[in-house]
Amino acid sequence: MKPTLADTDARQGILDRINTKHVDVPPLPDVDVDRVIQFDEPIDKFVEMLAMVGGQAHQVDSQGDVRAVLEEIEVFRTATRIVSLAPESIAGTIDATQIEDPHDLSTVDWTIARGEFMVAENGSIWIDGDTLPHRVLLFIAQYLAIVVPRSQIVSNMHQAYERIENFSARFGVFVSGPSKTADIEQSLVLGAHGCRKLQVFIVGDL
Amino acid sequence: MLPIVQHPAAAKEFVNDPNRSRWHDQALWFVRSKRDKQAASLPEWEYLRETASGIKTHTIANLSHYLQQFERNATARGAVVHWARDAEHHNEIVLRILRDHKTKRIVKSKSMLTEECGLNHYLEDNGIDVVDTDLGERIVQLRGETPSHIVLPAIHIKKEEVGDTFHKHLGTDEGASDPKYLAEAARGHLRDKFLAGEIGITGVNFAIAETGGLVVCTNEGNADLGTSLPRVHIACMGIEKLLPRQRDLGVFTRLLARSATGQPITSYTSHFNGPRDENSELHIVLVDNGRSRLRESETFRAAMHCIRCGACMNTCPVYRRSGGHSYRATVPGPIGSVLSPTRDQNSYKSLPYACSLCGSCSDVCPVKIPLHHQLLAWRGELVGKKLLPVSKRLSMRCASYLFRFPALFRLVGRVGRFALRVLPRWATHNRLNVWTIARELPEPPKESFHQWHRRHRNH
Amino acid sequence: MTVALFVPCYIDQLYPDVAIATLELLERLGVDVAYPDGQTCCGQPMANTGCETDTAPVARRLVDLFADFEAVVCPSGSCVSMVRNHYAAYFDPEDAKFQHVTSKTYELCEYLHDVVGVTHLDVKFPHRVSLHQSCHGLRELRLGQSSESMTPRENKVRKLLNLVEGIEWVEPDRPDDCCGFGGTFAVNEADVSAEMGRARIADHCGKGSEVLASADMSCLMHLQGLIRREKNPIQVMHVAQILSGRPLGAA
């Protein structure tokens, strides 16, 4: 869509108005990392926070252990449409790379995604959009599991943004727990629009 | 939008229904308590607030630079950046994009900016179906209402009422009011809408000048579903949403959800850098709508720091009792009472007075907007513009004279106390004396301290 | 050093015992107190309504009246905050009298705690007491830590009351929610104000408090008006009254 003359005028008008009023610019502050919380046992904190935000953590030694844990979960055993982006841990039943239109993923039961690292303070996991053949996979699946290397964890969001300082993907997301809502009388309901539940596999040998 | 009336009148029905106002008060206090717990869990909380305030002060001062940097970088990433002068212009731009794509089915995730611009009505008037996908917003949309809170749009509605609405519109069981059941019904209903949506509209929590990227925070995942199915994403944002650097998000993502709902972070903190792929489009609409004018005011500029967390609403003892609709504004509560009169002083002149000046909002605000000082400052501005009712203006003028002449002050005090003692109750406790509608007057002492002092300390 | 006692207008006219208790307390602690004649009001009602031109002459009077004293003490956090935090709008910043008075005006508890350094009071008050922390004392004078703020601060009012023998503390659920007085707010927004006050009273009463104590009599005037209308089983007292040894029911 081409901007009209009115749009160009608006741009200039807004910038002119701002430029006419000079405001002294104080320096841009940086966060002193020595002044923010760090955890001695970040994995323990992550597990605690993940539980608080409604997710479940599973600490496993190797990728091969993921399947056994998932098999314990009834909604996984009965699932037929599974997209796995971590085939070393578990094989899927649908190859999402072969799908063109994301709408065709609307009936996916499970997505097994790969997380880059964990953030202890809030139980979130960073997912790089480049690992997703379709970003909707994270949100449209009824259930979500994320496999993340045990060694990849930071204490807080300042460290998290330091790690992704140069991320170049078109999309990236911190996922903290399953989708949720409290819009009806502040009653917490898990499974709003996105996944109903979130399983996080903290894998030793990844 | 409801017609503009003065806040005390608009609040009357809500506050005088104790079942509703006390329930509302408790629900919001619960959210504030969760916020306190999260804030207390970080020893650096006050340091974060200080830093966030510093980052925002810097950014707003240098806004022209950062807007242009953002535009350059977003464009380089393949986004189309639009500039909108005001609400109407914003709506026109959005409509033009929709018409360009010949689309009629829009899925929208929460955006207070589009509420501010009245986008839904505008699009509906132009024959376009807009579905609000945030559960709370969908509830108010189905009921033909507006959000009463910027983060918790349906906080004023009871689950039984949601049940009625869903029964009527979604066909849920009559009388069903279990939140889990109702949320599940909404999930099914909105999944269909997501799958049918042709364009996704979202708000923006943060825009990053150095990367040209956008960050949207939701718990439900609706912004993500709404933008990862359709090929076109329209992101609408006020020009104050900018942050200079991506790492500044470290500060703001730590403050936002903790302040808003007492969560350590939202379920999804999504970073959009340009459109989804080569075949998709991302349109970013930068909206001024009075913001550049607000920036010119030394007194009120800091209101542009607002990250729309809603903490000032949750903590405001007036908001909790009067409900969001009593403000008759898109943004209610303390920050709304600061922002609304910048748009229309006459319509919103009662809002700066809908405040006991308790200062809780200023202490809770994650970006340290001195809200209660700004509300006080507004009162001075309104009086200067002669927008205070003459009766109030005159009573203050009389008080001022009284306090300038101690002998007169003492005399009036003496007469007043005497009158209180001798007059029959009906003459002092009646509807004309507003104080006494709910309260007793103090029992008048025989002598003032001044009189006592003369008798006992011989000065 | 002579300290001026500033008695706010409504305390002078409606609650003289609070001023008497303040005076007696200061005298007993050895403070040389004067009560300058001609004082009326700090100007807050006009200032909080936004009537700046009506406030200025009242503020000027107060500053002139107290300029020669080494300190000013006032049993009302709200009025002290007016002088300390809001007078700048009415004076030349270089005005020496203004600088002196605004920097040397103290709320009573603050003065006793910070300047006098009271560590002992020979006073008893064997009752269940709950503290109503007035907003301006808390958030504008920082007499304690507000529940929103994570900056640790000691609670000066409570620390002083802890010197009184026999107080059994009762803690309301909400430690510092506003009572709804707010000056002219109590009349402008009468319905909301009353509802805010009722909630505070219910919280304090529900925890079994006998005495709702506060360092701000204006909050208590509003709460007392509601308590007496609704016949709640609780009384209000100003902190100065308790500190000076008044029995239950003095207000």
Side-chain angles (χ1 to χ4, degrees), chain A residues 66-78:
Chain A
V66 170
R67 171 167 279 280
V69 179
L70 281 173
E71 291 289 354
E72 304 263 301
I73 300 171
E74 169 150 21
V75 287
F76 184 79
R77 280 200 307 274
T78 56

Side-chain angles (χ1 to χ4, degrees), chain A residues 97-136:
Chain A
T97 58
Q98 298 303 309
I99 286 173
E100 197 134 317
D101 181 352
H103 291 82
D104 295 341
L105 294 163
S106 67
T107 55
V108 168
D109 297 314
W110 277 79
T111 293
I112 320 293
R114 268 167 40 209
E116 301 302 311
F117 62 90
M118 299 168 272
V119 185
E121 69 161 317
N122 54 29
S124 71
I125 299 143
W126 173 251
I127 293 179
D128 186 319
D130 280 348
T131 65
L132 304 168
H134 291 283
R135 71 175 70 153
V136 80

Side-chain angles (χ1 to χ4, degrees), chain B residues 228-378:
Chain B
S228 54
L229 288 166
R231 278 186 41 249
V232 183
H233 173 186
I234 305 175
C236 305
M237 57 178 274
I239 52 174
E240 83 286 13
K241 291 283 179 191
L242 280 180
L243 293 178
R245 306 164 300 194
Q246 185 167 278
R247 65 172 172 278
D248 298 325
L249 288 166
V251 177
F252 288 90
T253 54
R254 299 187 84 197
L255 287 167
L256 177 63
R258 285 185 173 96
S259 297
T261 54
Q263 294 171 261
I265 192 168
T266 47
S267 301
Y268 303 104
T269 305
S270 303
H271 301 60
F272 299 91
N273 289 333
R276 198 163 77 219
D277 52 42
E278 292 73 20
N279 301 317
S280 303
E281 291 173 29
L282 170 62
H283 294 268
I284 302 168
V285 190
L286 297 171
V287 184
D288 183 344
N289 203 28
R291 287 164 174 78
S292 58
R293 196 180 54 221
L294 178 61
R295 182 178 168 279
E296 288 167 9
S297 159
E298 304 286 331
T299 314
F300 300 116
R301 184 180 307 134
M304 290 179 83
H305 298 182
C306 179
I307 55 173
R308 301 292 191 266
C309 71
C312 63
M313 287 153 218
N314 304 342
T315 206
C316 177
V318 178
Y319 174 89
R320 278 188 265 118
R321 267 67 176 215
S322 65
H325 288 153
S326 64
Y327 294 81
R328 298 290 198 263
T330 307
V331 181
I335 183 67
S337 299
V338 170
L339 293 175
S340 301
T342 65
R343 302 195 182 291
D344 181 348
Q345 292 180 5
N346 192 40
S347 295
Y348 296 111
K349 64 190 172 198
S350 71
L351 296 186
Y353 295 91
C355 162
S356 63
L357 298 174
C358 79
S360 182
C361 47
S362 302
D363 273 6
V364 91
C365 176
V367 289
K368 297 190 83 163
I369 304 170
L371 287 159
H372 77 293
H373 292 299
Q374 292 188 336
L375 288 168
L376 181 58
W378 255 127

Side-chain angles (χ1 to χ4, degrees), chain A residues 1-4 6-7 9-11 13-15 17-33 35-37 39 49 52-53 101-103 106 108 121-124 126 135-142 144 156-158 161-162 164-196, chain B residues 23 31 38 41-44 47-48 51 54-55 57-58 61-64 67-68 71 82-85 89 93 96-97 100 133-136 139 152-155 157-160 162 179-180 182-184 187 190-191 194-195 210 219-220 222 224-225 228-229 244-247 249-251 253-254 258 264-273 275-278 288 292-293 295-296 298 301:
Chain A
M1 191 191 89
K2 286 238 152 55
T4 65
D7 297 347
D9 280 358
R11 178 185 187 279
I14 293 167
L15 290 174
R17 177 137 207 176
I18 295 169
N19 288 329
T20 337
K21 173 68 188 180
H22 172 79
V23 179
D24 287 338
V25 184
L28 178 59
D30 269 308
V31 172
D32 176 356
V33 282
R35 288 184 67 179
V36 301
I37 205 161
F39 302 101
M49 294 312 287
M52 191 186 135
V53 298
D101 181 352
H103 291 82
S106 67
V108 168
E121 69 161 317
N122 54 29
S124 71
W126 173 251
R135 71 175 70 153
V136 80
L137 282 168
L138 288 182
F139 312 103
I140 205 158
Q142 296 293 328
L144 180 65
N156 58 55
M157 291 305 286
H158 309 294
Y161 279 105
E162 217 168 279
I164 57 171
E165 179 84 47
N166 297 312
F167 104 94
S168 57
R170 288 167 182 268
F171 183 71
V173 59
F174 288 100
V175 175
S176 170
S179 83
K180 53 182 91 67
T181 182
D183 273 348
I184 303 175
E185 283 205 8
Q186 281 301 296
S187 301
L188 182 66
V189 179
L190 301 184
H193 297 305
C195 62
R196 297 170 184 277
Chain B
W23 161 84
V31 181
Q38 277 300 320
S41 74
L42 295 184
E44 65 267 31
Y47 172 58
L48 288 178
T51 309
I55 293 171
T57 307
H58 169 93
N62 214 2
L63 191 57
S64 167
L67 279 169
Q68 293 174 80
E71 181 188 39
H82 309 262
W83 300 69
R85 228 171 17 249
H89 189 201
I93 290 172
R96 233 186 298 146
I97 301 170
D100 249 31
T133 57
D134 173 84
L135 176 57
I139 293 168
L152 318 163
I155 188 74
I157 301 171
K158 295 192 176 188
K159 60 183 186 216
E160 291 79 12
V162 177
K180 234 175 158 165
L182 296 172
E184 181 65 30
R187 179 185 170 96
L190 286 164
R191 277 247 158 174
F194 279 122
L195 288 167
E210 73 172 358
N219 281 321
E220 299 184 5
N222 53 324
D224 294 293
L225 260 183
S228 54
L229 288 166
R245 306 164 300 194
Q246 185 167 278
R247 65 172 172 278
L249 288 166
V251 177
T253 54
R254 299 187 84 197
R258 285 185 173 96
I265 192 168
T266 47
S267 301
Y268 303 104
T269 305
S270 303
H271 301 60
F272 299 91
N273 289 333
R276 198 163 77 219
D277 52 42
E278 292 73 20
D288 183 344
S292 58
R293 196 180 54 221
R295 182 178 168 279
E296 288 167 9
E298 304 286 331
R301 184 180 307 134

Side-chain angles (χ1 to χ4, degrees), chain B residues 62-203:
Chain B
N62 214 2
L63 191 57
S64 167
H65 165 73
Y66 285 124
L67 279 169
Q68 293 174 80
Q69 190 189 8
F70 173 76
E71 181 188 39
R72 259 195 324 274
N73 289 323
T75 310
R77 285 183 184 267
V80 183
V81 177
H82 309 262
W83 300 69
R85 228 171 17 249
D86 52 23
E88 208 186 335
H89 189 201
H90 160 266
N91 294 346
E92 281 166 22
I93 290 172
V94 173
L95 181 65
R96 233 186 298 146
I97 301 170
L98 303 184
R99 291 217 161 129
D100 249 31
H101 290 87
K102 302 188 174 52
T103 47
K104 287 206 168 354
R105 289 192 304 273
I106 312 303
V107 281
K108 189 161 142 284
S109 75
K110 196 140 103 245
S111 153
M112 289 320 294
L113 181 84
T114 60
E115 290 287 341
E116 171 188 320
C117 295
L119 179 68
N120 281 14
H121 276 298
Y122 178 84
L123 293 181
E124 280 156 20
D125 289 349
N126 283 283
I128 288 169
D129 178 31
V130 187
V131 176
D132 273 321
T133 57
D134 173 84
L135 176 57
E137 283 214 312
R138 187 64 180 154
I139 293 168
V140 298
Q141 190 183 31
L142 290 173
R143 293 171 64 86
E145 298 183 19
T146 53
S148 71
H149 187 290
I150 61 172
V151 173
L152 318 163
I155 188 74
H156 62 292
I157 301 171
K158 295 192 176 188
K159 60 183 186 216
E160 291 79 12
E161 296 167 319
V162 177
D164 289 345
T165 304
F166 280 15
H167 171 65
K168 205 166 122 198
H169 295 276
L170 313 186
T172 53
D173 296 341
E174 190 163 10
S177 65
D178 173 39
K180 234 175 158 165
Y181 168 79
L182 296 172
E184 181 65 30
R187 179 185 170 96
H189 159 74
L190 286 164
R191 277 247 158 174
D192 293 343
K193 302 284 182 193
F194 279 122
L195 288 167
E198 296 169 305
I199 285 190
I201 299 180
T202 71

